[in-house]
Amino acid sequence: MIQDDVFLHLDGAARNIDLHLKMEGLNPAGSIKLKTALGMVEDAERRGVLRPGCRLVESSSGSLGIALAVISAAKGYRFLCVTDPNTSALSAAAMRALGADVVEVGGPDANGGYLGSRIAYIHERLAADPELVWLNQYANPANWEVHARRTAAAITAALPDTDYLFVGTGTTGTLMGCVHHFRRHAPHTRIIAVDAVGSVTFDARAAPRYIPGIGTSRRPEILRRDLVDDVELVEEADTVRTCRWLARRYGLFAGGSTGSVVHAVLRRAPQLPPGSRVVAISPDFGERYVRTIYDDDWVAGTYGPDALVEPHTPLSALTTVRN
């Protein structure tokens, strides 16, 4: 059963705002991506694209792959997930345990990421096997439609007086679903997209990234940049620091996307009107990041030892990084 009604109040996270996290890690498959996967699969079934015995292929750095593996196992589909070197070994193992085939692309694309490489590999497989079905989360409107119906609607039902909504961006499905719902039902809410430094989603400069979940090396077709109120870019080292701070301060074992979104909120907080009600979407928990974000050796080797040091300046007073 999809869990859409769990919110965590982060009391005292920032002095001047009222911050609530929408907790998606309690969903089956462990993340918000269960809704994405189910929405796309059910849409394909309604359109007759998916029939009993079909084989699915999709590109994923982790959470969507696990969600599609869960649904494929339940519905009797075969599933091939195309991953990359940034995909957690735990995520890949979970997909295989659920019966999925997993292939990892090797070389980066022209922007230094792996999304272009993953998609190129999928096109090669489709050309060789026309019976293979690609759901294409990057261009599929069913990706954002399910989040308009469920994720965003759950927020306006529980917290109709939300002033600001912060949403991490990967495929931008959650973001676009929220934008479409809020523009109709709560137009006063300002929606802030949170992206990673090094991602090209909002036309920033490409750079290497190591934490899956937020950011792309190729702009998703479903993105409508003109409908987003603002963008916050977060350095991955700050994502790490914030995840670890959430664990120590609140006992919240947060995934990388949650760390990025919370960092963006706390950095923006001093600019928000006092008493603002802020909702941030927390896509998953930290189990899939125990060997990366929560591993001292990995953090120091990837970002340097400074990433292990809690900042002297309070998180909510950090300088804004913008596109």
Side-chain angles (χ1 to χ4, degrees):
M1 177 182 293
I2 290 176
Q3 299 292 326
D4 252 333
D5 58 352
V6 180
F7 293 80
L8 176 65
H9 184 219
L10 284 190
D11 186 37
R15 289 187 299 273
N16 65 314
I17 64 170
D18 182 32
L19 175 57
H20 300 259
L21 290 188
K22 187 177 190 307
M23 306 304 296
E24 296 284 350
L26 297 172
N27 278 302
S31 79
I32 196 171
K33 293 295 187 178
L34 180 75
K35 287 180 278 190
T36 305
L38 188 60
M40 292 193 300
V41 166
E42 289 182 341
D43 172 74
E45 289 173 334
R46 284 192 297 269
R47 293 186 290 111
V49 175
L50 273 181
R51 298 175 301 278
C54 274
R55 289 171 292 166
L56 293 172
V57 63
E58 186 55 273
S59 155
S60 173
S61 59
S63 291
L64 181 68
I66 293 173
L68 280 171
V70 167
I71 292 170
S72 295
K75 288 178 171 283
Y77 300 126
R78 292 174 56 193
F79 172 51
L80 168 64
C81 188
V82 183
T83 67
D84 62 57
N86 287 337
T87 301
S88 159
L90 294 174
S91 294
M95 291 181 232
R96 292 189 178 100
L98 290 160
D101 295 316
V102 180
V103 63
E104 179 184 299
V105 299
D109 57 28
N111 285 321
Y114 294 96
L115 178 53
S117 302
R118 283 191 261 143
I119 291 176
Y121 180 83
I122 287 175
H123 282 298
E124 291 176 9
R125 293 297 296 261
L126 292 172
D129 184 359
E131 296 299 314
L132 205 56
V133 177
W134 180 29
L135 296 173
N136 192 0
Q137 59 175 320
Y138 312 100
N140 191 338
N143 182 346
W144 66 258
E145 288 168 354
V146 68
H147 292 292
R149 293 194 310 270
R150 302 203 66 127
T151 308
I155 296 171
T156 54
L159 299 167
D161 53 349
T162 295
D163 298 301
Y164 295 88
L165 174 65
F166 285 72
V167 187
T169 58
T171 66
T172 71
T174 305
L175 174 68
M176 287 294 97
C178 288
V179 165
H180 283 281
H181 176 86
F182 274 82
R183 290 296 173 259
R184 292 184 59 191
H185 300 283
H188 64 281
T189 302
R190 288 182 58 80
I191 298 178
I192 315 298
V194 180
D195 200 13
V197 170
S199 167
V200 304
T201 302
F202 294 95
D203 299 324
R205 183 187 303 176
R209 293 173 292 105
Y210 305 98
I211 299 175
I214 282 186
T216 65
S217 56
R218 171 186 175 274
R219 174 182 276 194
E221 290 87 345
I222 60 174
L223 173 64
R224 286 282 308 277
R225 173 65 178 86
D226 57 303
L227 298 179
V228 180
D229 291 308
D230 207 351
V231 179
E232 286 277 351
L233 300 181
V234 175
E235 295 273 4
E236 286 193 340
D238 288 328
T239 296
V240 170
R241 293 187 187 100
T242 306
C243 284
R244 289 168 165 244
W245 174 78
L246 286 167
R248 289 190 299 268
R249 172 68 174 80
Y250 292 98
L252 175 59
F253 194 32
S257 300
T258 301
S260 297
V261 173
V262 171
H263 186 85
V265 171
L266 298 182
R267 195 171 55 191
R268 178 67 70 97
Q271 305 169 35
L272 304 182
S276 295
R277 171 159 284 180
V278 178
V279 174
I281 295 178
S282 171
D284 61 6
F285 291 131
E287 290 88 348
R288 296 164 194 172
Y289 304 87
V290 291
R291 296 180 183 172
T292 54
I293 288 172
Y294 296 98
D295 183 282
D296 287 357
D297 291 337
W298 184 88
V299 172
T302 305
Y303 306 108
D306 286 349
L308 296 170
V309 179
E310 189 166 332
H312 298 295
T313 305
L315 286 172
S316 58
L318 297 177
T319 303
T320 301
V321 177
R322 291 197 184 167
N323 184 14

